[in-house]
Amino acid sequence: MPELADRIADYARHRMGDGLEVRVDGVERIHGGASRETFRFRLHTKSDAGSLERRLILRRDPPGSLIETDRAIEFSAYRAFYGTAVPVPEPLWLEEESHWLDHPFFVMEEIPDLEARPQMVLAPPYDAHTEKMGIQKWTILGEISKADPEERGLIGAMESVGVDAAWDRELSHWEGVIDEDELAPQPIIRAAIRWLRAHPPPPAQKISVVHGDFRTGNFLYDTEGRIHAILDWEMAHLGDPLEDLAWGINRVWCWARDDRVGGLLPKARAVRLWEESSGLRADPDALHWWELFSCVKGQGIWVSSAREFQDGKNQDPILALAAWMQINAQDRAALELMGQLR
Amino acid sequence: MKPEISRVLEVCAVGLMGDVAPHVAPSYRQATVFSTAVILTSVREELDRIAERRILENRALRTIFAEALPAVADAALRERLECAAAEDESDFKISALDAANDALRALLIDLHVHVESLDSEAARRVESEIWRELSASTERRKLSLGAF
């Protein structure tokens, strides 16, 4: 992709200032979340002080995507947690103008030679470390939930919400997504929405940073089961910390087809680890509400991916695959939580 | 005699996964080929049951509507249910079966909302039948490669 490499180099020159020799090579598109086009590349710089090579990631807005999100929010989440107990790559540049690379984008550090695919946690050599990965995963989520959004500089960057309004804002948002994007009626999820509205959860214990898609598949891990980075903050927002916990233990992420949530640990242990790390409590009734909500949110994502593909806005097969694999599984997860799976 | 559609899809999917994907670069394109192969595998699984599932489901929904009539208090809804219950499949193209299924499931939502608002034994029985059918519908749609 020589043309893209030259354009990235032009941009890097613009950001880093004159007097620096800049070259970009090794541009390669990779899978990295379905809402943005992701490329890896090498940035070579040369000055009187010497030469430097960095491996970087470019996340660019596509014409259509699985989730319509604000890149500035994703970038601010990386910036908020970089250098903390929540491992993330170093964010470098956010660009809102389209003229550099046709669409807005941001650039961050690449943490190379690691695995992210969720199904790989069940394959050698990673499968020997599922417990270790699970302990880290839920402890890190606890750190995210524990973090003070104000201290992390996220007030203003993310829309604020009150402790008693978080549930309604999220439910209304995802109900609206389903209203707009469903290709066919969704009787199970509509029943779930009615139940959720009729039985609102207690106010949030606190307003936390919510990653928004905290699940196996959205972190980088090595062959020894060490987690090196939490990725894909594209749905990050402020809200009830139970939202993230519930999303991560959703049935549709039980890759091993057993009781291990995210293919790593039994649900009760995951919840306990999160409670210990966050200092918060997962009230069973409140968590149940958020678990059922996570089915509504999941269905919102899957019907949107189906719509994008069907309408031709984005015909990456991953969108069709997500819809084919998850819509019915999500319905079954909702039925199970409502005590109606027979 | 042509090869069966399911056999063609199986061979194509296996070929894409085993013969094509490993030789495709960069990794993004390779993953795309792999995703395409998984979709073909699922389409093959769906193909054999594609008409049966829709016909069974549409029939089950019409039966629920017919049996729900005595419990329904809303006259306009009762009329819509009666009409839907009296229909039968005459067009077996998948697009026609899907259109009928969409209309029936939309009506099912209306019926579900209505009986939830009623305080009667008959309404609870209808509600129970709706849940039974919704659960059965997910069993009919299950894919062997799905997580749940």
Side-chain angles (χ1 to χ4, degrees):
Chain A
M1 297 182 178
E3 194 221 359
L4 184 57
D6 289 345
R7 295 175 74 186
I8 297 170
D10 286 344
Y11 181 74
R13 225 171 272 123
H14 158 72
R15 292 301 299 239
M16 301 176 85
D18 293 334
L20 201 63
E21 216 174 280
V22 175
R23 186 168 55 83
V24 166
D25 62 17
V27 178
E28 180 192 349
R29 184 160 178 192
I30 58 173
H31 263 293
S35 68
R36 305 223 143 77
E37 295 173 346
T38 306
F39 301 85
R40 64 159 62 104
F41 64 95
R42 286 186 299 269
L43 176 72
H44 307 268
T45 56
K46 198 171 167 186
S47 68
D48 295 342
S51 300
L52 189 68
E53 177 192 313
R54 287 198 80 177
R55 292 173 69 163
L56 300 176
I57 293 289
L58 169 75
R59 301 259 289 153
R60 180 170 69 167
D61 288 15
S65 73
L66 189 61
I67 312 152
E68 290 173 14
T69 59
D70 185 335
R71 80 212 61 81
I73 287 176
E74 185 177 2
F75 188 80
S76 67
Y78 282 115
R79 197 168 48 197
F81 285 105
Y82 179 64
T84 73
V86 179
V88 294
E90 181 187 5
L92 295 179
W93 305 314
L94 169 67
E95 182 52 60
E96 303 272 19
E97 297 294 329
S98 294
H99 68 271
W100 290 100
L101 299 177
D102 300 326
H103 300 284
F105 62 91
F106 67 85
V107 175
M108 63 183 181
E109 166 194 21
E110 181 186 13
I111 304 178
D113 307 320
L114 296 170
E115 186 55 74
R117 289 173 292 175
Q119 67 272 27
M120 293 306 289
V121 301
L122 305 174
Y126 309 104
D127 59 345
H129 307 295
T130 51
E131 183 183 16
K132 181 178 169 182
M133 273 194 270
I135 292 169
Q136 293 167 83
K137 174 183 169 179
W138 297 106
T139 301
I140 290 169
L141 180 61
E143 291 287 344
I144 295 171
S145 301
K146 187 166 68 180
D148 180 343
E150 190 166 4
E151 277 178 18
R152 300 263 64 84
L154 290 169
I155 303 294
M158 294 178 180
E159 189 186 339
S160 61
V161 66
V163 290
D164 53 358
W167 71 268
D168 185 49
R169 185 185 69 178
E170 292 307 308
L171 182 58
S172 296
H173 170 73
W174 288 105
E175 184 179 12
V177 169
I178 294 168
D179 288 345
E180 196 170 324
D181 287 345
E182 68 179 5
L183 292 169
Q186 302 291 326
I188 294 168
I189 288 302
R190 295 294 177 184
I193 292 169
R194 293 194 300 277
W195 188 92
L196 290 167
R197 289 218 175 277
H199 304 86
Q205 296 160 84
K206 61 170 288 209
I207 292 300
S208 294
V209 180
V210 176
H211 176 282
D213 196 10
F214 193 87
R215 60 176 174 83
T216 304
N218 279 340
F219 56 78
L220 295 173
Y221 54 97
D222 66 21
T223 53
E224 298 296 315
R226 285 182 293 259
I227 293 179
H228 291 259
I230 306 298
L231 303 175
D232 292 328
W233 293 76
E234 55 222 42
M235 292 198 289
H237 57 275
L238 302 180
D240 191 320
L242 289 180
E243 182 187 341
D244 261 343
L245 179 62
W247 179 250
I249 60 179
N250 194 305
R251 264 289 208 169
V252 298
W253 312 131
C254 288
W255 310 105
R257 296 183 176 184
D258 57 21
D259 69 338
R260 287 177 296 168
V261 292
L264 299 173
L265 287 178
K267 174 179 162 182
R269 186 149 180 225
V271 171
R272 204 163 54 243
L273 283 161
W274 176 84
E275 287 184 322
E276 287 166 7
S277 172
S278 67
L280 300 169
R281 180 166 179 266
D283 170 74
D285 290 340
L287 183 59
H288 178 264
W289 191 97
W290 283 103
E291 284 184 83
L292 187 56
F293 162 79
S294 77
C295 294
V296 175
K297 172 176 166 174
Q299 207 63 291
I301 294 171
W302 315 131
V303 302
S304 292
S305 66
R307 168 69 68 180
E308 293 277 342
F309 190 88
Q310 180 81 10
D311 289 355
K313 285 187 190 166
N314 182 343
Q315 291 188 321
D316 186 332
I318 196 74
L319 296 179
L321 185 60
W324 268 73
M325 287 297 141
Q326 298 289 53
I327 286 178
N328 191 56
Q330 199 67 81
D331 268 349
R332 292 176 63 77
L335 282 174
E336 185 180 53
L337 285 163
M338 291 188 284
Q340 301 293 352
L341 189 63
R342 297 166 189 186
Chain B
M1 172 74 180
K2 294 183 288 189
E4 292 169 5
I5 299 172
S6 66
R7 180 72 180 141
V8 171
L9 292 172
E10 180 188 12
V11 170
C12 289
V14 169
L16 284 175
M17 277 192 228
D19 298 335
V20 179
H23 305 291
V24 172
S27 63
Y28 173 77
R29 299 266 176 240
Q30 186 182 68
T32 298
V33 172
F34 196 80
S35 296
T36 305
V38 176
I39 291 169
L40 290 181
T41 302
S42 300
V43 169
R44 173 179 173 260
E45 187 176 357
E46 182 72 4
L47 190 71
D48 195 40
R49 65 189 189 192
I50 196 161
E52 183 194 42
R53 173 173 78 69
R54 287 158 174 79
I55 292 166
L56 285 177
E57 189 162 306
N58 291 353
R59 192 179 295 162
L61 292 172
R62 289 185 178 111
T63 301
I64 287 174
F65 297 161
E67 291 175 355
L69 289 172
V72 173
D74 181 291
L77 178 63
R78 199 164 52 241
E79 191 180 333
R80 289 167 61 208
L81 292 167
E82 255 177 324
C83 287
E87 290 168 358
D88 201 2
E89 313 297 353
S90 55
D91 185 341
F92 296 96
K93 288 196 289 296
I94 299 307
S95 56
L97 293 172
D98 272 344
N101 188 252
D102 286 355
L104 292 168
R105 276 164 72 90
L107 185 53
L108 183 76
I109 292 172
D110 293 343
L111 175 62
H112 203 172
V113 170
H114 180 67
V115 293
E116 280 175 354
S117 72
L118 299 178
D119 185 19
S120 72
E121 278 295 312
R124 296 291 75 76
R125 276 196 299 275
V126 174
E127 204 177 356
S128 175
E129 279 305 297
I130 291 173
W131 283 121
R132 188 194 51 71
E133 166 50 27
L134 289 174
S135 181
S137 76
T138 68
E139 199 62 40
R140 293 184 203 111
R141 289 166 157 82
K142 263 173 91 171
L143 290 167
S144 52
L145 291 176
F148 184 48

